[in-house]
Amino acid sequence: FFFFQAEDGIRDFCLSRGLGDVYKRQLQKQFGSLNESAYMLVYKQKKLTPIFADPTLVPECWIEPILTQNELEEQQREFYKSEDAQIEVVFQSSDLFTFDEELMIKYKVDKQIENQGVKVKIAKLATISQLLDKFHSAVKEKPANPLVYEIVRCKNEFCQVIRKLSAVPMDTPLEKAEIQHLSTWMYCEKGKEEVLEKIVGVDNVPIEVVVRFLGDDLSIHTYGGVTLEKFKEMMYERTSFPVEQQSIKIVKTDVKLIPIEDLLLGKSEKEVTLTDLKFSERTQLLLCLLYTSDAADE
């Protein structure tokens, strides 16, 4: 069973009232549904386990909606497989986002993403060039020579910049370029190119690293592609611990600490990124000072 709380305070099942948008998206992402009726998804799984395969364990009033939903999704899947299928691509202005000093990107207004920006409907066999033509005709305030980047919103509410559209040959069909239904693209003026090029990349995921030092916890939001050297500088700015005196240990369990030097594999801190060190969301570190007394170490 899955327990959740709706944004407007709903605690129990009610056909006449839906869940909040945030919780709908969370459930839809987990169960792969395209439908807005999130309550149906509680019993929907990609592979039914024996307990869920038993219809007697599902409330009778849910069975018909779930079967109807599954049939609708199957029709949608078949349609998107057909050659004449059309997809919608979402284009959003960079004005909808904030860029902080660490180049972390976030939506200014936290509401349903697909309702922000412009949707372009186009055949999935159309080319990148045709998509851009439709985009230019659909946008009211036409930017001169815009940069267009694919973005994905992550669990920690920050956005990952996946790739630049101009890097794909213009005659490539959308299907071959893996541009999917409701994929989101941010467009901006040329001035932001230098900023975005530093963080673009399918492996450059926005993460939060929790650093423990002197009994306190410090959260640092950054990207997996940041080098260890740069990350140490970020910690110095927040803790005033000189970089050359920092000793970092990765907290694996409450009793197991791994010195970060053990993971460098002979590479310098300029070469190794946080992704190389397998940093992920909420990785925890212990920050110590070198050349301290035994009492301070304890």
Side-chain angles (χ1 to χ4, degrees):
F1 289 88
F2 297 88
F3 297 91
F4 46 81
Q5 176 183 335
E7 286 173 305
D8 59 354
I10 301 170
R11 299 295 195 280
D12 55 1
F13 174 74
C14 178
L15 275 175
S16 62
R17 300 169 70 193
L19 298 173
D21 287 340
V22 171
Y23 294 90
K24 283 183 188 177
R25 292 198 297 274
Q26 289 175 350
L27 289 169
Q28 288 167 348
K29 183 174 182 181
Q30 175 154 351
F31 292 97
S33 173
L34 300 175
N35 190 274
E36 289 293 314
S37 302
Y39 67 85
M40 296 181 189
L41 303 177
V42 176
Y43 279 99
K44 179 177 174 58
Q45 293 185 336
K46 293 178 180 177
K47 292 184 179 179
L48 289 177
T49 58
I51 188 171
F52 284 103
D54 184 354
T56 62
L57 298 176
V58 180
E60 186 177 349
C61 61
W62 288 26
I63 294 177
E64 185 177 348
I66 290 174
L67 293 177
T68 302
Q69 168 67 13
N70 288 343
E71 183 179 351
L72 176 61
E73 288 184 6
E74 186 60 35
Q75 292 173 357
Q76 290 174 329
R77 279 192 289 269
E78 291 301 321
F79 171 72
Y80 286 120
K81 289 178 184 177
S82 64
E83 292 187 356
D84 59 343
Q86 289 195 324
I87 61 174
E88 286 184 320
V89 182
V90 183
F91 290 92
Q92 299 176 335
S93 169
S94 59
D95 294 337
L96 295 172
F97 303 86
T98 59
F99 295 75
D100 68 15
E101 65 274 7
E102 300 298 344
L103 309 183
M104 304 298 292
I105 302 177
K106 204 171 188 178
Y107 279 94
K108 288 181 180 177
V109 180
D110 188 11
K111 65 179 183 180
Q112 200 161 358
I113 300 172
E114 53 266 27
N115 290 339
Q116 303 183 61
V118 176
K119 285 184 181 179
V120 172
K121 198 168 186 177
I122 190 170
K124 71 175 186 179
L125 295 181
T127 64
I128 300 292
S129 177
Q130 291 171 321
L131 175 64
L132 285 175
D133 289 341
K134 282 212 167 192
F135 157 68
H136 282 291
S137 60
V139 177
K140 294 179 181 178
E141 298 179 3
K142 296 179 172 50
N145 301 318
L147 300 164
V148 184
Y149 291 85
E150 184 176 13
I151 61 169
V152 173
R153 189 176 186 177
C154 300
K155 290 181 180 179
N156 57 17
E157 304 301 324
F158 289 98
C159 296
Q160 180 182 3
V161 183
I162 302 293
R163 54 178 170 166
K164 183 162 63 172
L165 188 60
S166 61
V168 184
M170 291 292 103
D171 58 350
T172 306
L174 303 185
E175 185 177 39
K176 188 174 181 181
E178 298 183 351
I179 296 180
Q180 301 174 350
H181 180 59
L182 291 182
S183 63
T184 305
W185 297 78
M186 176 177 63
Y187 62 91
C188 55
E189 300 289 352
K190 285 285 186 181
K192 286 193 171 70
E193 182 172 18
E194 185 176 345
V195 172
L196 292 170
E197 287 301 316
K198 293 180 181 178
I199 58 175
V200 68
V202 70
D203 295 322
N204 204 12
V205 181
I207 58 176
E208 178 186 8
V209 181
V210 179
V211 182
R212 300 177 183 175
F213 70 104
L214 298 180
D216 292 323
D217 284 353
L218 169 70
S219 291
I220 298 179
H221 292 282
T222 185
Y223 289 96
V226 166
T227 63
L228 179 58
E229 181 183 55
K230 172 63 177 175
F231 183 73
K232 280 190 168 185
E233 292 174 0
M234 293 167 64
M235 287 197 296
Y236 171 70
E237 292 171 358
R238 291 164 172 78
T239 65
S240 298
F241 283 9
V243 174
E244 61 275 8
Q245 292 189 30
Q246 291 179 10
S247 173
I248 305 171
K249 297 180 176 67
I250 299 177
V251 180
K252 289 297 184 182
T253 66
D254 288 340
V255 295
K256 185 176 181 181
L257 305 176
I258 302 177
I260 211 162
E261 292 79 8
D262 293 355
L263 304 176
L264 293 181
L265 302 176
K267 296 182 180 178
S268 72
E269 295 178 357
K270 292 182 179 180
E271 300 172 311
V272 175
T273 67
L274 301 188
T275 299
D276 294 334
L277 297 172
K278 295 183 170 51
F279 278 36
S280 57
E281 182 64 12
R282 300 288 295 180
T283 292
Q284 296 192 51
L285 305 178
L286 182 65
L287 177 61
C288 307
L289 281 177
L290 298 173
Y291 316 119
T292 57
S293 66
D294 293 339
D297 283 338
E298 290 182 13

